[in-house]
């Protein structure tokens, strides 16, 4: 009797050990009885099942991280690149995850690879590099359709980790970025020069209103140069002398000129001036030489300007042919 009781007690303990199941907080228990799914899903805690005929499968409902191997693809603008990504998903329906798909992590990995190639083929290179959020949202939308409803999996997030470009494309992009930075630098420098020129214009206008301001500015420049303790001697040159030379140059330009009748240029003849004077004209190539008649020099107008007197003297110069004839005779 004692032996029978001992055997019975051992059998009860074995049956109890086989019927007790522990489910963690992050798990869901799905029970199959003789291969048929029971409708009740076990939550966290201790649960009793039949020791013979019942089988419990535990499914984790935690978010799982799945890395997508690097995929080589061609973008919409025919650029070959390699992209790798990472997928965050979790199980929302343990029954579908166990019944409708076999090895759901592997299934998610395969569909993530195909979806990544499909999305990259529809986007261009600039969008992949500058608008990652839009690409990630499109990739998540493509993966949600075949996984959430039929498999009971929810894709929480998809992130593109790295985009590997060819070396030639990277060099071209670096040159483009360098040219863009140089363009910005030139624009900034030009803008600074424009603002400085406006300030200088305002300063020049203020100095023009006050003539003594220019002299004070020259003296300040002398003080600044002498403060450096060098051997340079700065002598301010009056602006009035520059204006005087400018007026003299304009008067010298007024003495010369062209003949109004024929458009030919006047020249001063070499040698001694004859007693009479005629208009000296050098014809342009291909035009006949006009005939000039001698004329006595007109008396200078005492009230006329120096430029008018010089112009009248220039009109009385002889022509080149007459000057040569006078020299030969």
């Amino acid at each position: 009797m004692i032996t029978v009781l001992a055997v019975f007690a051992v059998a009860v303990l074995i049956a109890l050990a086989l019927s007790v199941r522990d489910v963690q907080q992050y798990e869901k228990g799905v029970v199959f009885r003789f291969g048929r799914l029971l409708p009740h899903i076990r939550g966290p805690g201790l649960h009793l099942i039949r020791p013979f005929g019942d089988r419990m499968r535990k499914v984790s409902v935690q978010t799982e991280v799945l890395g997508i191997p690097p995929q080589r693809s061609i973008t919409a603008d025919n650029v070959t690149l390699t992209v790798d990504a990472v997928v965050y998903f979790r199980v929302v329906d343990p029954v579908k995850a166990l019944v409708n798909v076999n090895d759901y992590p592997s299934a998610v990995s395969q569909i993530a690879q195909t979806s990544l190639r499909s999305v990259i083929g529809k986007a261009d290179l600039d969008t992949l590099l500058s608008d990652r959020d839009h690409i990630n949202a499109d990739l998540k939308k493509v993966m949600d359709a075949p996984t959430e409803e039929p498999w009971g999996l929810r894709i929480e997030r998809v992130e593109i980790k790295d985009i590997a470009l060819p070396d030639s494309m990277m060099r071209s992009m670096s040159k483009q970025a360098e040219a863009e930075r140089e363009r910005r630098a030139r624009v900034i420098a030009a803008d600074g020069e424009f603002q400085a020129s406006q300030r200088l214009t305002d300063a020049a206008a203020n100095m023009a209103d006050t003539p003594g301001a220019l002299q004070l500015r020259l003296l300040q420049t002398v003080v600044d140069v002498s403060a450096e303790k060098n051997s340079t001697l700065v002598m301010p040159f009056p602006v009035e002398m520059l204006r005087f030379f400018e007026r003299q140059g304009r008067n010298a330009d007024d003495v010369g000129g062209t003949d109004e009748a024929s458009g030919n240029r006047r020249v001063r003849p070499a040698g001694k001036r004859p007693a009479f004077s005629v208009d000296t004209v050098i014809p342009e190539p291909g035009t006949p030489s006009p005939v000039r008649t001698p004329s006595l020099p007109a008396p200078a107008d005492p009230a006329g300007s120096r430029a008018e007197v010089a112009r009248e003297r220039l009109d009385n110069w002889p022509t080149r042919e007459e000057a040569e004839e006078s020299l030969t005779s």
Side-chain angles (χ1 to χ4, degrees):
M1 181 63 68
I2 296 175
T3 304
V4 173
L5 291 175
V7 172
F8 180 75
V10 172
V12 171
L13 292 175
I14 294 174
L16 184 61
L18 294 175
S19 61
V20 175
R21 293 291 183 272
D22 183 18
V23 179
Q24 300 296 325
Q25 182 66 37
Y26 55 87
E27 294 177 339
K28 296 292 183 180
V30 180
V31 180
F32 294 90
R33 180 168 295 172
F34 296 106
R36 179 177 294 180
L37 175 68
L38 296 181
H40 181 63
I41 298 177
R42 272 62 173 176
L46 291 175
H47 298 276
L48 293 176
I49 62 174
R50 293 181 181 181
F52 303 102
D54 287 356
R55 184 170 58 91
M56 178 182 286
R57 293 285 301 275
K58 300 177 183 179
V59 179
S60 176
V61 294
Q62 290 178 319
T63 300
E64 298 186 19
V65 181
L66 181 64
I68 303 176
Q71 302 296 314
R72 190 175 182 85
S73 181
I74 300 177
T75 60
D77 50 354
N78 299 325
V79 178
T80 304
L81 45 81
T82 303
V83 181
D84 57 345
V86 60
V87 180
Y88 300 88
F89 72 96
R90 66 183 181 91
V91 178
V92 294
D93 193 342
V95 175
K96 292 181 179 180
L98 291 175
V99 176
N100 295 347
V101 62
N102 182 23
D103 192 10
Y104 60 86
S106 178
V108 172
S109 176
Q110 294 298 323
I111 198 169
Q113 295 178 24
T114 56
S115 300
L116 182 60
R117 292 179 181 176
S118 177
V119 171
I120 291 176
K122 296 178 182 178
D124 54 3
L125 180 61
D126 293 337
T127 304
L128 288 174
L129 296 177
S130 60
D131 197 359
R132 293 282 189 90
D133 295 336
H134 180 68
I135 299 299
N136 295 335
D138 290 345
L139 188 56
K140 181 180 180 299
K141 187 184 300 183
V142 171
M143 294 181 62
D144 278 338
T147 56
E148 184 170 3
E149 183 63 27
W151 295 351
L153 305 175
R154 178 172 297 173
I155 306 298
E156 294 184 344
R157 193 172 183 179
V158 182
E159 293 286 344
I160 296 178
K161 293 194 300 183
D162 187 22
I163 298 177
L165 297 174
D167 295 338
S168 59
M169 181 61 65
M170 294 179 65
R171 287 193 296 268
S172 300
M173 293 176 64
S174 63
K175 291 180 180 179
Q176 180 182 2
E178 184 179 357
E180 179 66 20
R181 288 193 297 269
E182 185 177 357
R183 182 188 67 84
R184 292 179 182 178
R186 291 183 178 181
V187 170
I188 294 173
D191 191 12
E193 292 180 359
F194 176 72
Q195 295 178 4
S197 63
Q198 289 182 337
R199 292 298 182 182
L200 290 175
T201 302
D202 297 339
N206 293 333
M207 289 184 179
D209 296 338
T210 306
L214 183 59
Q215 187 67 22
L216 293 177
R217 183 68 181 122
L218 292 175
L219 295 176
Q220 183 180 0
T221 304
V222 173
V223 172
D224 294 339
V225 173
S226 61
E228 297 180 359
K229 297 181 179 180
N230 52 17
S231 59
T232 303
L233 180 61
V234 178
M235 297 296 295
F237 194 78
V239 181
E240 288 76 7
M241 294 186 66
L242 296 177
R243 294 176 180 174
F244 172 75
F245 289 131
E246 182 180 0
R247 289 194 297 268
Q248 293 297 325
R250 291 178 181 176
N251 294 334
D253 292 338
D254 293 337
V255 173
T258 57
D259 185 70
E260 296 180 357
S262 60
N264 296 324
R265 183 170 55 88
R266 300 187 182 96
V267 296
R268 183 187 298 272
K272 185 178 179 180
R273 185 173 179 177
F276 60 91
S277 63
V278 295
D279 293 339
T280 304
V281 178
I282 298 177
E284 297 293 336
T287 58
S289 177
V291 179
R292 300 293 182 179
T293 58
S295 61
L296 296 176
D301 187 5
S305 62
R306 182 181 300 177
E308 294 178 355
V309 174
R311 188 179 298 106
E312 292 177 358
R313 292 178 179 177
L314 181 63
D315 293 338
N316 295 328
W317 290 344
T319 61
R320 180 178 297 177
E321 291 81 358
E322 294 174 349
E324 292 178 355
E325 290 179 359
S326 61
L327 291 175
T328 53
S329 60

